Amino acid sequence: MGMLNYIARRLLFSLALLLGVSVILFALINAIGNPIEILLAERPGVTEEIIQSVSQYYGLDGSVTDRYFTWLGNLLRLDFGTSIIYNQPVGDMLWTFGLETLKIQIPGILLALALAVGASVLAATRQYSRIDFGVISGAMLGHSLPGFFFGIILILIFSYWLGWLPSYGAYSTRNLLWDSELADGLWHMVLPVGMLAFFNTATLTLLLRSSLVDVLRQDYITAARASGLPERRVVMGHALRNAVIPVLTYLGILFGLMLGTAPVTETVFTWPGLGALYIMAIQQLDYPLIMGETMIITVMLVGATLLTDIAYVAIDPRIRLG
Amino acid sequence: MEGSIALAAPPRPPGIWRQGWFRFRRNRGGMLGLVLVGLVVLVALTCFLVAPYDPNDQSAMLRGASRQGPSWAHLLGTDRNGYDVLSRVLYGAPTALAVGLGAMLIASILGTIIGGIAGYVGGMVDEVLMRCAEFFLVIPVFIVILAVVRLFGIMVVGTALERVPHLNLMTIIALLGLFGWPPIARMARAEFLRLKQADFVEAAICIGATRRDILLRHILPNALPSLIVLVALGIGGAILAETMVSFLGFGDPKAVSWGQLLYFNYESLKVAPWGSVAPGVAIFVTVLGFNLLADGLTDAFNPRLRQ
């Protein structure tokens, strides 16, 4: 019961959050005036009537509050409107570009989790050794290295100098090396996923190592050792399972960070995802697209936070619901 | 017997700052961070003297010498606009520090006031303020900042604000500050809540100290060490955020910033990699410096956290 109550409260807060973000952004976009006027200004042959009819077509006439509620009403029916620049339904675009974004982010974070577990176990079981020091230093360096700069270095080395991997895009326009589309897609994913995994591994390792060091000092670990369990089972079975819990909540935050900085990642790799689309949208003042993008990114972010929160509570019975 | 003990006043023990410094000095990572941050500050203060060229000197382009590799005349080469990369990178340091310090000044003032009130007053006020903080923590800050910078840039066209120098950069600093306060507010709240019940605060209440004195002279100074750690982390974060905004082309076109350098030179990465690598390394060193410094400060002020 407590669980359901908790989830309901979080959902309510998330809903309020979405509304808040949409109101702020909608007000800001409308504060600059009619985007059609700005976009079409000083084009030859554009008359007042043309501006008016185009504005009407995109639903830009009427008062701001009216428009906001129209937009909100359409949103509830999952109608995000039509992109001004691309003249396509925003919903379809978000779906296509969103999949591309998730295609690099989910492998990026899963790979990072696996790598971080390996590195932390290696370091925490040998506390204060050279390996431990190396892992901590490496993680600290990686944590401070701006992800997009690391991406630039990856491109420089693997695309330009060695020529092994493509430097941009998600697909080849002409298949030069691979026959199958799948192989071609994977080939393009290597660098972006590598960059995201690198950044996340560093942060997760810092967290997981210190959590694991803490757990390994607990009495029940000593008890497990005293009962004659092999060290491997003590670490992997007993210690790791408990050490991972605080790190799990951080996965949501990391995912949010990745999603929030997707514009940067996708600019570096010219990746056709939500981030690159967002840059286009705000450069071109494509307001249905800006609104739709912000909503979908906020929903994904809030969803990730909510999911990790619930997972946290579900996994660890010691956590009391607050 | 008892009188003689009371007479022998014990030597004044070192304060939290001195104690912290003793511990900080022994922390190699923290000291390295301090050195790196010191280096950036030094460069920022002396770039006018050290830089071999004017940051706006594009004469290399006229000589057809843009995108030249490192040479004695241009230690880090020239970029696609004919700028001397080394000079531009050196002149980027004051911009970066202005962004980091400016943003965190705003964030820490807001955060301390909001968190302090929430922690000290408590009750409904606390609830509302902390919900606000949570709101700002969950929204995709970077995405919103990008949109606001762009939209604000259009809004000021044709107004008096347009003539303010570096308006764009100041907008970015203000936004980073406005969105950066929640972590500080959370920490300030926790500290004010804890210190409110401390013995020395109760003693101060007993001798009739005013509420202002209690807040500003008794609670705030004792909350500062924990807040300083977040400020150090935040400075690095703000610098990184400005770099990313500029890298995407929404930065201040007139400011010499590392992000701007990356934005202009990323296109010619293949022919002139030094133009992108040099500012990237500068960002890395600065962010690493502040992260290590924050790490060292955590150890110095919260020694119990790490055995």
Side-chain angles (χ1 to χ4, degrees):
Chain A
M1 197 56 224
M3 182 81 172
L4 280 179
N5 201 336
Y6 173 77
I7 294 173
R9 279 218 329 258
R10 290 302 310 243
L11 274 176
L12 218 63
F13 178 73
S14 309
L15 219 59
L17 186 109
L18 276 172
L19 271 178
V21 171
S22 74
V23 168
I24 293 172
L25 214 66
F26 204 87
L28 264 169
I29 291 174
N30 282 286
I32 62 166
N34 186 346
I36 302 293
E37 237 169 85
I38 296 169
L39 288 170
L40 293 184
E42 289 161 29
R43 296 259 180 106
V46 173
T47 58
E48 197 59 35
E49 287 87 61
I50 292 180
I51 289 181
Q52 255 175 19
S53 68
V54 175
S55 302
Q56 206 174 3
Y57 177 75
Y58 288 108
L60 285 166
D61 48 350
S63 76
V64 177
T65 38
D66 280 355
R67 262 187 282 152
Y68 178 74
F69 285 111
T70 316
W71 176 81
L72 195 64
N74 289 339
L75 188 71
L76 293 179
R77 281 180 270 119
L78 288 180
D79 175 9
F80 288 88
T82 309
S83 157
I84 295 177
I85 301 302
Y86 301 93
N87 203 18
Q88 279 172 24
V90 171
D92 295 357
M93 295 177 75
L94 292 179
W95 178 248
T96 325
F97 284 79
L99 282 183
E100 291 294 338
T101 294
L102 291 180
K103 201 168 100 186
I104 52 173
Q105 296 201 336
I106 290 177
I109 208 156
L110 291 181
L111 190 62
L113 192 60
L115 289 172
V117 165
S120 327
V121 167
L122 208 63
T125 51
R126 295 165 182 76
Q127 207 188 351
Y128 304 129
S129 69
R130 275 203 194 139
I131 295 176
D132 186 29
F133 182 72
V135 167
I136 298 178
S137 315
M140 192 66 202
L141 284 175
H143 177 65
S144 303
L145 186 64
F148 71 106
F149 179 51
F150 183 68
I152 290 174
I153 293 181
L154 284 182
I155 290 180
L156 204 57
I157 296 175
F158 292 101
S159 302
Y160 294 160
W161 292 346
L162 298 173
W164 291 349
L165 295 160
S167 61
Y168 65 89
Y171 308 97
S172 305
T173 35
R174 288 174 300 157
N175 261 349
L176 297 175
L177 242 107
W178 309 95
D179 290 331
S180 78
E181 253 178 58
L182 180 71
D184 182 62
L186 287 174
W187 188 50
H188 279 81
M189 274 166 63
V190 175
L191 285 188
V193 169
M195 172 199 138
L196 292 173
F198 171 83
F199 172 75
N200 291 327
T201 305
T203 312
L204 287 175
T205 304
L206 281 179
L207 284 166
L208 190 56
R209 180 211 162 260
S210 74
S211 168
L212 199 56
V213 164
D214 267 1
V215 171
L216 281 172
R217 266 203 212 98
Q218 303 285 324
D219 288 344
Y220 63 84
I221 295 297
T222 316
R225 281 188 184 133
S227 73
L229 276 181
E231 185 66 17
R232 235 192 82 166
R233 282 197 52 197
V234 173
V235 174
M236 303 307 278
H238 290 71
L240 193 62
R241 276 171 70 171
N242 284 291
V244 157
I245 294 171
V247 177
L248 273 186
T249 31
Y250 207 79
L251 279 185
I253 297 175
L254 264 190
F255 184 69
L257 205 65
M258 267 200 311
L259 208 57
T261 53
V264 185
T265 315
E266 292 171 7
T267 302
V268 171
F269 293 102
T270 331
W271 192 262
L274 281 181
L277 188 68
Y278 187 71
I279 298 292
M280 286 295 206
I282 53 176
Q283 266 169 355
Q284 317 254 26
L285 298 178
D286 192 339
Y287 97 99
L289 200 51
I290 299 179
M291 292 304 298
E293 278 257 357
T294 322
M295 285 298 101
I296 213 75
I297 290 178
T298 314
V299 166
M300 286 164 85
L301 218 153
V302 169
T305 326
L306 200 62
L307 219 62
T308 42
D309 272 8
I310 294 170
Y312 196 43
V313 177
I315 293 170
D316 192 344
R318 285 169 303 184
I319 308 287
R320 281 195 302 123
L321 298 162
Chain B
M1 193 58 191
E2 278 160 325
S4 68
I5 291 174
L7 278 175
R12 203 194 150 126
I16 37 176
W17 297 103
R18 273 183 78 86
Q19 282 184 31
W21 170 243
F22 287 142
R23 276 191 293 264
F24 185 83
R25 244 182 1 195
R26 285 201 305 264
N27 185 320
R28 265 183 294 175
M31 285 307 276
L32 178 63
L34 193 65
V35 169
L36 292 180
V37 170
L39 185 75
V40 177
V41 173
L42 191 71
V43 168
L45 292 174
T46 58
C47 65
F48 312 95
L49 305 167
V50 193
Y53 294 84
D54 187 89
N56 297 313
D57 181 0
Q58 282 180 285
S59 57
M61 187 151 75
L62 300 174
R63 286 184 277 113
S66 43
R67 293 182 192 151
Q68 295 274 308
S71 64
W72 281 114
H74 299 279
L75 285 177
L76 293 179
T78 56
D79 67 7
R80 60 189 274 258
N81 294 316
Y83 293 123
D84 176 54
V85 174
L86 177 64
S87 303
R88 290 286 267 193
V89 169
L90 293 178
Y91 270 90
T95 312
L97 284 184
V99 169
L101 294 175
M104 281 329 279
L105 188 70
I106 299 173
S108 41
I109 290 176
L110 277 176
T112 312
I113 293 177
I114 296 174
I117 292 175
Y120 194 76
V121 178
M124 205 50 211
V125 179
D126 181 24
E127 181 76 14
V128 170
L129 289 178
M130 285 304 106
R131 284 289 152 186
C132 264
E134 200 178 335
F135 177 85
F136 276 91
L137 271 177
V138 184
I139 57 170
V141 172
F142 188 68
I143 298 275
V144 174
I145 286 182
L146 282 181
V148 177
V149 168
R150 169 83 172 121
L151 295 171
F152 190 67
I154 297 171
M155 262 185 256
V156 295
V157 172
T159 65
L161 275 175
E162 206 182 0
R163 284 187 292 279
V164 177
H166 295 307
L167 179 71
N168 195 315
L169 193 66
M170 287 197 282
T171 315
I172 297 173
I173 294 174
L175 285 171
L176 290 173
L178 285 177
F179 285 104
W181 62 266
I184 296 183
R186 284 193 157 186
M187 180 62 89
R189 174 184 173 270
E191 287 289 282
F192 272 63
L193 204 61
R194 178 176 69 88
L195 292 167
K196 183 166 79 167
Q197 284 145 0
D199 290 341
F200 63 86
V201 172
E202 245 164 60
I205 296 172
C206 286
I207 60 167
T210 60
R211 185 194 273 196
R212 211 188 102 154
D213 266 5
I214 290 168
L215 283 175
L216 296 182
R217 294 191 49 191
H218 295 280
I219 297 187
L220 185 63
N222 285 294
L224 279 184
S226 310
L227 297 178
I228 290 277
V229 174
L230 289 182
V231 170
L233 265 185
I235 292 175
I239 292 174
L240 185 58
E242 186 274 337
T243 310
M244 295 199 291
V245 172
S246 297
F247 174 66
L248 294 176
F250 298 96
D252 191 333
K254 292 191 195 93
V256 184
S257 94
W258 295 327
Q260 288 284 337
L261 280 174
L262 278 166
Y263 171 59
F264 286 123
N265 293 325
Y266 184 49
E267 270 175 49
S268 48
L269 178 69
K270 199 168 187 173
V271 281
W274 43 87
S276 302
V277 172
V281 170
I283 300 162
F284 174 44
V285 167
T286 311
V287 175
L288 179 67
F290 279 106
N291 281 352
L292 286 174
L293 186 66
D295 222 36
L297 288 173
T298 313
D299 287 358
F301 290 126
N302 307 310
R304 268 159 299 154
L305 275 184
R306 204 166 288 186
Q307 290 91 343

